[in-house]
Amino acid sequence: MKKFSFISLFLILSLVLAACGSSEGENAGGGEEGKVYKVGVDTTYPPFEFKEGGEYKGIDIDLIKAIAKNQGFEIELKPMDFGGIIPALQAGELDIAIAGMSITDKRKKVVDFSDPYFDAGLSLVVKEGNSEIKSVDDLKGKTVAVKKGTTGATYALENKDKLGIELTQFNDSPSMFQEVANGNADALIEDYPVIAYAIKQKDLGLEIVGDRLNGDQYGIAVLKGENKDVLEKINKGLAELKESGKYDEILKTYLGE
Ligand code: GLN
């Protein structure tokens, strides 16, 4: 009897150890020498990334997980304020960033982008029922809320004098939405798919005005010149997911038909 319990204990211990060993990282695919790539994502940017039931979800999250699985590398998600993502890549704290990040020439000086994976574009947004502001030309003397480090903030900064606006900057999108909904700012600039999704999901008391201000496209970023091998895998994975229908399936999960 004694011998039996000793053997059982040994078996149980082995099982526990085996289970621990295989649960590291986001998937069990054989990565490069077991390297786990750190992936920077925005804190909250539905439908691209958001936390639900203690878990990160969204188009960006599903996409990078599917790419990693397809290409056999492992990832660890690192949510942070959008404005901190490129600096974290530069500091070597991240290997990859997927955060509804627009491909811009300015960013291309410090990061390499994957092929584009989503067409976004900026929109002007006002409090619901605002009949005064129909386009950016009606912003003279108005306060515009933007999110730090985004292309929306860059647009507002570059056109500040021409449009005659004051700026107020936020770290995350929900705080920026709140500012306009409660009347502290007159308008905000946000990516079209994000604000359209937010308005559809909840009664935010906001509305989109006019046409999109530009044709921003999203790309997955890695530090310039440093991660060519992983960038190649990302592009290959992305192409394969588009080919197999998995990419469309992910989009459909969050955006519907
Ligand atoms: N697409 C915008 C940018 O790249 C906003 C991204 C975001 O807020 N996560 O700047």
Side-chain angles (χ1 to χ4, degrees):
M1 192 60 183
K2 229 181 192 169
K3 198 173 183 186
F4 173 75
S5 356
F6 183 76
I7 290 171
S8 321
L9 186 65
F10 179 74
L11 278 176
I12 288 166
L13 266 177
S14 323
L15 280 174
V16 167
L17 284 174
C20 288
S22 66
S23 68
E24 275 168 25
E26 286 289 331
N27 68 53
E32 241 172 24
E33 298 129 32
K35 179 165 169 71
V36 178
Y37 290 101
K38 294 192 198 79
V39 179
V41 296
D42 201 343
T43 49
T44 171
Y45 208 51
F48 296 93
E49 43 252 45
F50 55 98
K51 213 170 187 178
E52 199 177 76
E55 227 194 296
Y56 265 92
K57 290 189 173 164
I59 295 169
D60 283 351
I61 309 293
D62 288 8
L63 205 54
I64 196 67
K65 281 187 177 173
I67 290 171
K69 195 171 169 204
N70 178 279
Q71 293 294 308
F73 63 85
E74 297 191 31
I75 58 165
E76 187 189 343
L77 298 175
K78 299 273 180 200
M80 58 183 76
D81 285 337
F82 183 78
I85 293 180
I86 289 182
L89 265 179
Q90 290 180 286
E93 289 156 16
L94 296 174
D95 301 296
I96 301 172
I98 182 164
M101 188 185 286
S102 304
I103 300 170
T104 69
D105 288 339
K106 197 172 151 219
R107 289 178 181 157
K108 276 187 192 164
K109 290 184 181 142
V110 290
V111 302
D112 287 324
F113 281 107
S114 69
D115 296 328
Y117 69 89
F118 198 90
D119 292 331
L122 296 171
S123 285
L124 182 66
V125 180
V126 297
K127 190 170 175 168
E128 207 169 25
N130 180 323
S131 53
E132 224 188 316
I133 302 170
K134 299 260 181 267
S135 79
V136 288
D137 300 323
D138 304 321
L139 291 175
K140 197 154 287 240
K142 305 288 184 203
T143 301
V144 178
V146 293
K147 182 164 133 191
K148 281 181 197 158
T150 62
T151 49
T154 303
Y155 176 93
L157 282 163
E158 284 175 352
N159 293 286
K160 190 172 180 283
D161 295 339
K162 194 179 98 190
L163 299 173
I165 52 175
E166 287 300 320
L167 292 191
T168 160
Q169 305 212 31
F170 294 88
N171 287 326
D172 60 89
S173 292
S175 315
M176 173 174 74
F177 298 166
Q178 193 57 43
E179 191 76 353
V180 175
N182 66 22
N184 285 340
D186 302 293
L188 65 87
I189 299 172
E190 176 60 284
D191 290 17
Y192 175 81
V194 172
I195 190 64
Y197 181 86
I199 290 173
K200 209 169 103 186
Q201 292 290 309
K202 330 186 199 117
D203 185 14
L204 284 180
L206 297 174
E207 65 180 274
I208 298 168
V209 290
D211 294 331
R212 292 187 209 195
L213 304 172
N214 69 13
D216 271 0
Q217 285 187 307
Y218 293 164
I220 303 167
V222 300
L223 186 58
K224 196 173 174 67
E226 296 294 317
N227 266 331
K228 283 267 181 260
D229 52 333
V230 73
L231 188 64
E232 242 167 66
K233 288 182 188 171
I234 289 171
N235 277 332
K236 216 166 146 229
L238 192 58
E240 281 181 26
L241 296 179
K242 282 191 174 170
E243 182 77 31
S244 71
K246 177 76 184 167
Y247 170 87
D248 287 334
E249 191 189 298
I250 292 172
L251 255 55
K252 213 194 269 176
T253 306
Y254 297 97
L255 303 176
E257 291 301 324

